[in-house]
Every structure is written in C-alpha cells, then in structure tokens.
Amino acid sequence: MDAVFVGGTMLRRGLLNPGSPVRIVQQFAALGRWGFGLAGELRQAAARSPRQIAVVDDQRQITYAQLLARAERLARGLPVKPGERVGLLCRNSARMIEALIGVTTLGADPVLMNTGLSPNQLATAAADQGLRALLFDDEFAGRVALVEGVEKIDEARFEELIAGAPVARSAPPERPGRTIVLTSGTTGVPKGARRPTPGGFRPLCSVIDRIPLRARERVLIAAPLFHTWGFAGLQIALALRATIVLRRRFEPAAVLDDLVRHSCTAMIAVPVMVQQFMELPDPDRKPALRVVAVSGSALPGGLATRFMDRYGDVLYNLYGSTEASWASIATPADLRHAPNTAGKPPYGTRVAVLGDDGKPVPAGAVGRLFVGNEMLFEGYTNGASKTMHEGLLATGDLGHVDAAGRVYVDGREDDMIVSGGENVYPAEVEGLLADLPQVRECAVIGVPDQEYGQRLAAYLVLRDEETLDPEAVREHVRHHRARFSVPRDVIFLDALPRNATGKVVTRDLPR
C-alpha cells in the first residue's frame, strides 16, 4: 500500500518525469549513499539538475551544482569535528542553507538559533547546547558578545573557510548530522529538540499529497529557516529540486513584489505574514500562486476566508509542532467548509482526542490531542521528552474532531482556565474577536481573579482609523458565548508582542 501511495504521489507531483538516464541513476545513487537528510536531498538535486537555479536571495543566485560545491568546501574548512554542535544564527539566505548542509555533511549537528533571542538567551542556549562553534550574520555581532567558549564565525570568516578549503568530493560521515531546532521560547529559555532524518520518500509524499507542490516549483520561503516550518519547507523544496526564493526580512510589499518578479507559484509562510499581506491594498498585478502553505500558529478562520477571496483557493494550513512535525493539513476546500479547522491527518498520521482517563472521547467532545507519525522528534537535548500514550505524542493542545474527521484546535492545555468552576478556552474567544471588522489582531489569556480564581483578558490591536468600545467587545462575546467566556479586561494596544516566528509572547502582554 505504501509503495502505491508513494509512487502515485511522486508521479502526480512530477518527481518521476523522464530525464537523462545517467542523471537519474546518479540522483538515486546520491540518496542511497547520503540518505534523505538535507545533505542527501541537495546531492540528489545537484545530480539531476546541476544547472538549475537553487536559491535566489537578496544578494545573489546560485545553481544546485554551485550550492553543493560551496557546502562541501565549508564542511572541509570548518574547525569542527563530527558529532560536535554548531549554532547557526542567520536570517533566510543562501549562506544559511550552505551552512546547514556543510555542517551535516561533516557529521556535526547544526543548532538553529532563533534570531529573536536576546544576548542573555543566546549565551544560555549556546552553553546549554554545548556549541563548538557559532556561525552568524554580521548584524548579530553585538548580540553574540556574551557567548563564550565557542569559535565565532562571521560572514568574512565564512567566506575564508570556503575559499581556503580544497576542492574534493566528500564521503558520507559515519554518523549523519542531526538538526536541532530550538523551541520558540515564548515562556522562557528555549529547549533544543532533535529532529529525525526521514527514512524514505513517505514523509515527503504525505505532505505533498495534501499540499500539491510540484517538482521544480519556484517557492518563496518566507517563514524563517530556523523555524520548524521554514526548515520543513527547505527540506521539501530541495527534494522537489525547486528554485528557492529568500528574503532576509519579511516586508509584505517587497515579498509580494518578489512573488511576481521571480514568477513564484508557491509560498511557505506563517499566519501573521498572511495577515500582513491582507493589510496591503489589493494589488493590480497578483502573483500566479497555486499554493500558500502556512503553519506555526493559529490561522483565524476569517483571515483564511478573506485571503482566499482575494488570492484564490490556494491556502493550505498545516497544524503541527517542533516535536510532532505535523498532525493535520487543511486544504482550501476544508477551509471553505469549516474556516477554523486544522484539516485532516495526512497519509501515515494518526490523531487521537483523549480524555483524562486516556480513552478516546466522542466526536465533537474536547480532549487532549495526541499524534503519531514517523517524524516525531527524538527528544529534547536536555534528556526530557513529552507525554506519550500508546505510541502517540501529546501535542500540548486541546481539541476535537468532527464527524467528517476534521481536526479543530481549541487551545493549549496550559492556557485553559477555570473561571468560577467553568472551563474556558481563550483561543475560542480569540477567534471570535478576530472576526470583528475593526480588529487587526488580538490575543486572549487568563489572568488571576480573587473572586473567580481566573478570568479572561483580551488584548486588541485595531485597524487604522477604527474605534471600538470595551463594552461592545464584551457584548459581542456575550452574544455568541456563555457569560464566563466574556473578558473582564479589554486592553487596546498599538501592536502585540511577537517573537521572530510571529507567535505572540504572552509574558510580555501588560497585566
């Protein structure tokens, strides 16, 4: 059954199109030697399509053959041994990809550092992860000053290492490098999560079966490459031999121009980027997008509908996490039918909604979400893990599944509050307020209350020249939800505090 699914998906997505027999043999030989990690995916792409443009960034464009050559020379030049860890503090660029693949080619472990970390957080993360070296963009030179005991490699040193290394073909390391992704750290210092290496074609096919990306697509990856979703987008793009378009910083108007100028047909983004797109005037010339795939945080249903009304039914929403990879994928049809859904589990993935007793709850009932697939993380680098139940990993979310098998996320387990003895889900109220036409973005959290134990507080950012009365906000919730869901506190802000991946940093919301 797997072979039929994989073969059929690869055929539909153009991965089995005819080509030079010699190049096809070299392509599959590269995967056989190097496996399905980044190092193997780049080599199969370079073997099959060496002259194709692999990456276009703010400064240059580079072919697959050139990208491989630079990554191999970096691997030979790095002052690092196999098995050691190398931190990467870089924005989206060809250099970031060269560094990632160079480190894994060597057999070392790249640690993806969040560009939004403070100097103290960077120093703590570097020590926690036991970094041997830290490779960083020049703009972060001041921020890495507190990091001690590691080899620091700036942009000039990076080029020197490549220029000074001999030209030779690398051999696969005894132990493949494993990528470590730092959790988002919205509540403190992030943990390192070890990402697994795919064991074959099935993980790729599970995603592209639901998100119809094709071979040699032109894909703009707007999500940060250090983020799980941006990193996943890179893995998929390399496997598809895509041309990857990158921009160091996300600026909505500039990215919209890039999509048109580079004839991109797909974009990998996080939901807040889609929201910022919608704040631009409706463009005279729209990009020819077939796929806009988002993940990383909640996608408000109203936003999904508005985006598709403007750009067509091209929006796909992947629900997952650093630890679980993916749990479900919502297609445009899913989002049209049920805008708040997270979609259905893709091939090879199982989602269960369990009660406190560990038993499945009925359809429509809220419980703890668990997921199982072959890409679950391998644990945190500090030795901790997450709750497992019969091979399924706890996502940390509460949710339900409808009669059609569509998954809905009702909120985080640790976000649910008990107000006057009633369970209240802030995410449910957040989605309701996000649909108000005056509201650009919002966040709802629980805060202590002397009388009821906890109560809801709503933080709203209004659209330009819009006004809204706090009591009108409460009345809107009162009209649609039970009285205990009405936020006692309604606070208006100029902007929500977000981290580099677009998630709201709730600890920074004023109390």
Side-chain angles (χ1 to χ4, degrees), residues 346-360:
Y347 184 89
T349 296
R350 179 186 166 209
V351 172
V353 185
L354 306 180
D356 293 337
D357 58 1
K359 296 180 180 178

Side-chain angles (χ1 to χ4, degrees), residues 181-466:
V181 178
L182 297 188
T183 59
S184 57
T186 56
T187 56
V189 176
K191 300 187 291 290
R194 292 191 297 268
R195 297 295 311 141
T197 299
F201 291 108
R202 195 171 85 160
L204 168 69
C205 291
S206 294
V207 175
I208 64 174
D209 172 58
R210 300 297 303 278
I211 303 176
L213 295 164
R214 293 185 55 80
R216 305 186 72 172
E217 193 106 44
R218 296 182 73 85
V219 182
L220 190 148
I221 302 180
L225 293 177
F226 65 75
H227 181 254
T228 305
W229 180 228
F231 179 75
L234 173 62
Q235 290 178 298
I236 293 168
L238 290 176
L240 294 174
R241 310 193 311 279
T243 292
I244 303 164
V245 178
L246 301 173
R247 175 171 284 273
R248 290 174 62 83
R249 294 177 180 274
F250 180 80
E251 298 167 351
V255 169
L256 189 58
D257 180 67
D258 283 345
L259 289 169
V260 174
R261 186 157 47 95
H262 297 296
S263 302
C264 295
T265 51
M267 181 170 71
I268 306 292
V270 296
V272 70
M273 295 173 175
V274 170
Q275 175 184 310
Q276 291 173 13
F277 257 38
M278 294 305 296
E279 292 168 9
L280 297 173
D282 194 355
D284 294 331
R285 186 182 177 195
K286 289 188 174 73
L289 290 168
R290 295 190 315 103
V291 171
V292 175
V294 298
S295 185
S297 60
L299 174 67
L303 174 61
T305 302
R306 291 195 305 274
F307 183 85
M308 290 193 293
D309 287 345
R310 178 180 291 188
Y311 290 99
D313 285 8
V314 298
L315 189 62
Y316 296 78
N317 182 31
L318 183 146
Y319 162 55
S321 67
T322 299
E323 296 84 0
S325 292
W326 57 78
S328 59
I329 299 173
T331 65
D334 291 326
L335 294 170
R336 285 293 188 190
H337 188 273
N340 292 317
T341 186
K344 298 178 181 179
Y347 184 89
T349 296
R350 179 186 166 209
V351 172
V353 185
L354 306 180
D356 293 337
D357 58 1
K359 296 180 180 178
V361 302
V366 174
R368 301 173 68 198
L369 288 172
F370 284 76
V371 61
N373 61 49
E374 62 191 287
M375 291 299 290
L376 299 181
F377 86 136
E378 298 173 341
Y380 296 111
T381 53
N382 63 6
S385 190
K386 296 199 76 169
T387 303
M388 298 288 294
H389 179 83
E390 297 180 355
L392 302 178
L393 179 78
T395 66
D397 289 323
L398 298 169
H400 67 279
V401 176
D402 67 15
R406 287 184 290 260
V407 177
Y408 298 78
V409 181
D410 294 296
R412 295 286 299 169
E413 285 186 56
D414 49 10
D415 285 347
M416 188 196 79
I417 70 168
V418 179
S419 183
E422 300 285 354
N423 292 345
V424 183
Y425 303 106
E428 183 180 31
V429 180
E430 197 172 284
L432 185 65
L433 295 179
D435 286 339
L436 284 168
Q438 301 95 330
V439 173
R440 187 173 61 160
E441 55 181 353
C442 67
V444 178
I445 64 171
V447 297
D449 184 272
Q450 288 186 350
E451 182 178 359
Y452 294 101
Q454 291 176 294
R455 66 178 187 269
L456 290 184
Y459 299 83
L460 306 180
V461 178
L462 300 183
R463 299 184 187 280
D464 293 342
E465 301 181 1
E466 292 285 358

